[in-house]
């Protein structure tokens, strides 16, 4: 297969514009990748920074806690984002963890628009980053490292300050391409043991 590909390229046909067959990514279909990875349920954050006096921000699902000692978090920034270069230039950012009441905020910060903060109430954190009113919690960071990763960059943030609400609301959740709100489990004891057990039984029978 690889030899065939190399041969046809050497003959000068159009195959050079296709991904090489030896590239594992060529085996992965875009739609399948999106569908399967959408089964991983996440919260949503808006990553913000102060660019001069102008606040900037983008909605982000690819956020995670990374290290306790030293305290680090990470997020994935799309290379095509227009906000990310401005956040990078600011060298500091805040992670605003969205509550169930902030679907509108998530949608507003998920589009390229210089006026994303119009009508949004925010205040400055202790390190100067914009913190959006009503978020569940906030993490202010300095940019520790940026790693290139395909069509994204992995941004590692050193945590400078943390803040949460004494009586937090529920989080905004994203699953299978849709916004969701958490519901309490109906299983005895609050767990999901019932349904998992049923599925295990079925698998054992097949
Ligand atoms: C549910 C959802 C999750 C998203 N997650 C990310 C993400 O993890 N990283 C990212 O760079 N963009 C993510 N985006 C897209 C950005 O929000 C969007 O590209 C960005 O706001 C565009 O504006 P900008 O040009 O100002 O950056 C997500 C969008 C949605 C709707």
């Amino acid at each position: 297969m690889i030899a065939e590909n190399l041969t046809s390229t050497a003959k000068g046909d159009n195959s050079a514009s296709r991904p090489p067959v030896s590239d594992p990514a060529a085996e992965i279909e875009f739609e399948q990748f999106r569908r399967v990875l959408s089964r991983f349920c996440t919260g949503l954050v808006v990553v913000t920074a102060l660019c001069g006096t102008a606040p900037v921000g983008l909605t982000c699902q690819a956020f995670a806690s990374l290290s306790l000692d030293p305290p680090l978090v990470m997020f994935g920034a799309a290379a095509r984002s227009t906000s990310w270069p401005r956040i990078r230039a600011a060298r500091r950012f805040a992670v605003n963890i969205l509550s169930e009441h902030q679907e509108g905020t998530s949608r507003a910060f998920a589009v390229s628009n210089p006026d994303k903060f119009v009508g949004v109430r925010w205040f400055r954190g202790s390190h100067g980053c914009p913190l959006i009113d009503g978020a569940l919690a906030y993490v202010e960071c300095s940019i520790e490292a940026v790693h290139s990763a395909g069509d994204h960059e992995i941004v590692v943030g050193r945590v400078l300050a943390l803040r949460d609400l004494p009586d937090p609301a529920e989080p905004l959740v994203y699953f299978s391409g849709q916004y969701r709100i958490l519901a309490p489990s109906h299983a005895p004891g609050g767990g999901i043991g019932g349904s998992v057990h049923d599925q295990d039984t079925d698998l054992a029978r097949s």
Side-chain angles (χ1 to χ4, degrees):
M1 217 40 179
I2 295 169
E4 265 175 36
N5 194 45
L6 289 175
T7 308
S8 56
T9 303
K11 281 179 189 160
D13 67 13
N14 287 336
S15 62
S17 60
R18 293 198 302 264
V21 175
S22 58
D23 180 354
E27 310 290 336
I28 305 294
E29 285 183 23
F30 179 71
E31 281 310 319
Q32 184 191 28
F33 181 93
R34 288 184 62 154
R35 190 181 67 250
V36 171
L37 273 296
S38 79
R39 303 299 196 246
F40 183 61
C41 175
T42 70
L44 284 166
V45 304
V46 174
V47 177
T48 55
L50 208 55
C51 195
T53 53
V56 294
L58 76 153
T59 297
C60 181
Q61 183 185 22
F63 166 73
S65 160
L66 185 60
S67 162
L68 186 59
D69 185 17
L72 302 173
V73 297
M74 55 173 280
F75 71 93
R80 68 172 187 279
S81 161
T82 58
S83 294
W84 162 231
R86 303 179 74 198
I87 294 168
R88 186 173 190 167
R91 297 167 63 182
R92 283 187 181 173
F93 64 88
V95 177
N96 297 258
I97 301 176
L98 299 185
S99 81
E100 63 179 350
H101 307 298
Q102 293 181 305
E103 179 179 329
T105 305
S106 177
R107 290 183 185 278
F109 281 85
V111 290
S112 282
N113 173 2
D115 299 327
K116 291 186 199 186
F117 272 84
V118 170
V120 175
R121 291 173 54 179
W122 61 278
F123 56 100
R124 283 186 184 215
S126 49
H127 293 267
C129 300
L131 306 184
I132 297 173
D133 253 11
L136 279 188
Y138 309 97
V139 187
E140 281 185 278
C141 303
S142 58
I143 295 179
E144 177 96 352
V146 178
H147 304 284
S148 178
D151 55 13
H152 277 60
E153 291 189 314
I154 299 168
V155 184
V156 178
R158 164 76 69 131
V159 176
L160 303 173
L162 298 154
R163 181 194 290 231
D164 59 1
L165 302 180
D167 186 17
E170 297 291 322
L172 184 62
V173 173
Y174 203 69
F175 174 70
S176 211
Q178 292 187 329
Y179 290 98
R180 314 276 182 142
I181 292 172
L182 288 184
S185 167
H186 297 299
I192 55 168
S195 56
V196 170
H197 178 76
D198 289 344
Q199 194 180 18
D200 283 346
T201 307
D202 287 343
L203 287 173
R205 280 189 196 129
S206 61

